[in-house]
Amino acid sequence: MSGVSPTESDPKSGVDPTADPAADPGADPGVEPASAGPVEGFDRLRYAGVFVLLFLFGTETFLISPLLPTISDDIGVSEAAAASSVTAYVLAYAVAAPFLGLLSDRFGRRRALLAGTALFAVSNAAAALSTSLALLVVSRALAGLAAAAAGPAIWAHISESTSDRVRGRALGLGMALFSCGQVVGVPLGGLLAGVAGWRSAFWALTLGTAAAVPLLLRQVGPAAGRGVPVGAIRGVLAAWRVPALREGLLVNTAFNAANLGAYTFLGALLVDRFDLSVEALGLVGVLVGAGSVAGSLLGGRLGDRFRAAGRTDLPLLGLWGLLLAAGIAVAATGPGLVLALAGVTLWFVASGGFVTDQQTLAGTAAPELRATSSAWLTSTMYAGTGLGAWAVGAFGDVADGVLAVGAGLAVLAALGGLLVGRGARAAVSRPAGQE
């Protein structure tokens, strides 16, 4: 990538006369100097700081659930009341992410990353010190704001500092590490809580976040923002005016209504069908995370191969939707526990692959809106999850609801994915500067 400031470019042609012609043609002005990625290969250590954060974010997102009984007993509230801390995190993230993503697009990744990282450390320390439900809920809301500031900036940073050849692989690895937070981080947090109390798990998150700061300072350099030339509200909504992104966000809503909406009832489904114990359901959760890791890595590699072959239309989005429908259908109706668990694995392989492709779309369809677009992916994911869970819950029989809503909306998302692919192909092939 070229590291030349946009102010050194020819003001008439918009072409940098000093740029290396062998550099990545997709490079954007204003990218952090320390983030200028190599055209060939992918140096994983160069992204150690943001990868550590993604692992910690994945751990924190799922950590409250296994600790809920212990936390509720310690602070003297019901489990339902303590669960409001999870709602606080989700709502804070979903509402704030598009606005904070816009700030990242305007003022640069480094500011958003460092501010979000610092707030994440403070919020987890506050959770560890919580002696009342009010303080716990506030600390989780702050954690949601922190992740909303840093998360979109991380995905944008990875997208803009890697070449087309390895972008999918880099995003897939980041998503896999986020999923590893559930597979590895949550069990470790549970073990630590069992030995030293639930507060120790949040202190561990605080220390891990602090340890990532020196890496971030080295790996994400300062840069001027891109200056999205619109007002605050219009800027937040700008991604919806890009056809490929608008279609992608709508498909993302439908996909996650099927995916995570149905997942809300996966435990109840497996208990109804096979009378699984709580311990067995915990192992299913590990299987879910492992499937997501595999799908994220697979999606990244396959996407890179398609792009290397000249395919820029994200042809796999439709495939992930069909695989999701098949996985949900087998989990809901397949005879025998082994086959049902195979369906669950396929379900989350499709989920991991889809999310990686969507992050690639967010990083390429409108480069000046990378963080804002990524933020909207998360917000529409949460919206879809809520709608899907409501729709499945409206059925009297859990298996019927999971099958009808999950598989049905997954097929709809697959069809929408074909339209997204066409829009992405048009956006990527459009000449630079053409509206």
Side-chain angles (χ1 to χ4, degrees), residues 272-295:
D272 284 351
R273 296 196 65 204
F274 306 108
D275 196 26
L276 295 187
S277 66
V278 173
E279 292 79 10
L281 288 177
L283 294 176
V284 172
V286 174
L287 186 64
V288 166
S292 297
V293 170

Side-chain angles (χ1 to χ4, degrees), residues 39-44 47 51 155 158 162-177 296-305 307-308 356-357 360:
V39 175
E40 301 291 339
F42 170 43
D43 183 2
R44 292 167 178 80
Y47 297 88
F51 284 163
W155 298 118
I158 295 173
T162 51
S163 70
D164 287 340
R165 290 176 58 86
V166 296
R167 183 170 295 127
R169 195 180 313 168
L171 290 168
L173 180 56
M175 190 58 62
L177 286 167
S296 298
L297 296 174
L298 178 64
R301 288 185 175 274
L302 289 178
D304 284 343
R305 289 184 180 180
R307 285 183 289 276
T356 299
D357 265 3
T360 304

Side-chain angles (χ1 to χ4, degrees), residues 3 16 21 24 57 100 128 146 154 181-182 185 234 280 289 303 337 340 390 395 397:
D16 179 2
D24 180 8
F57 287 167
L100 296 176
I154 288 174
Q182 179 183 7
R234 291 191 63 201
L337 178 61
W390 170 81
F395 283 76
D397 182 82

Side-chain angles (χ1 to χ4, degrees), residues 187-292:
L188 287 178
L191 288 174
L192 184 59
V195 172
W198 68 269
R199 300 176 192 277
S200 63
F202 288 100
W203 283 124
L205 285 172
T206 303
L207 293 175
T209 305
V213 172
L215 295 172
L216 293 175
L217 290 172
R218 291 181 57 189
Q219 295 164 0
V220 185
R226 289 155 183 77
V228 182
V230 287
I233 299 299
R234 291 191 63 201
V236 169
L237 298 176
W240 289 91
R241 291 192 288 274
V242 179
L245 287 175
R246 180 172 61 248
E247 294 167 1
L249 292 172
L250 291 174
V251 170
N252 193 59
T253 305
F255 186 95
N256 283 294
N259 175 28
L260 298 179
Y263 175 63
T264 304
F265 294 88
L266 178 59
L269 173 70
L270 294 177
V271 169
D272 284 351
R273 296 196 65 204
F274 306 108
D275 196 26
L276 295 187
S277 66
V278 173
E279 292 79 10
L281 288 177
L283 294 176
V284 172
V286 174
L287 186 64
V288 166
S292 297

Side-chain angles (χ1 to χ4, degrees), residues 304-409:
D304 284 343
R305 289 184 180 180
F306 272 102
R307 285 183 289 276
R311 295 292 301 273
T312 57
D313 54 348
L314 296 176
L316 295 174
L317 282 180
L319 173 63
W320 300 130
L322 291 177
L323 290 179
L324 176 67
I328 292 175
V330 171
T333 63
L337 178 61
V338 173
L339 189 58
L341 292 181
V344 171
T345 303
L346 179 62
W347 175 343
F348 284 92
V349 167
S351 175
F354 177 86
V355 171
T356 299
D357 265 3
Q358 284 283 61
Q359 287 292 352
T360 304
L361 172 65
T364 55
E368 74 282 4
L369 295 169
R370 281 188 170 116
T372 309
S373 303
S374 178
W376 274 114
L377 283 179
T378 304
S379 293
T380 52
M381 177 193 75
Y382 284 136
T385 300
L387 289 172
W390 170 81
V392 174
F395 283 76
D397 182 82
V398 171
D400 290 343
V402 168
L403 181 63
V405 175
L409 287 179

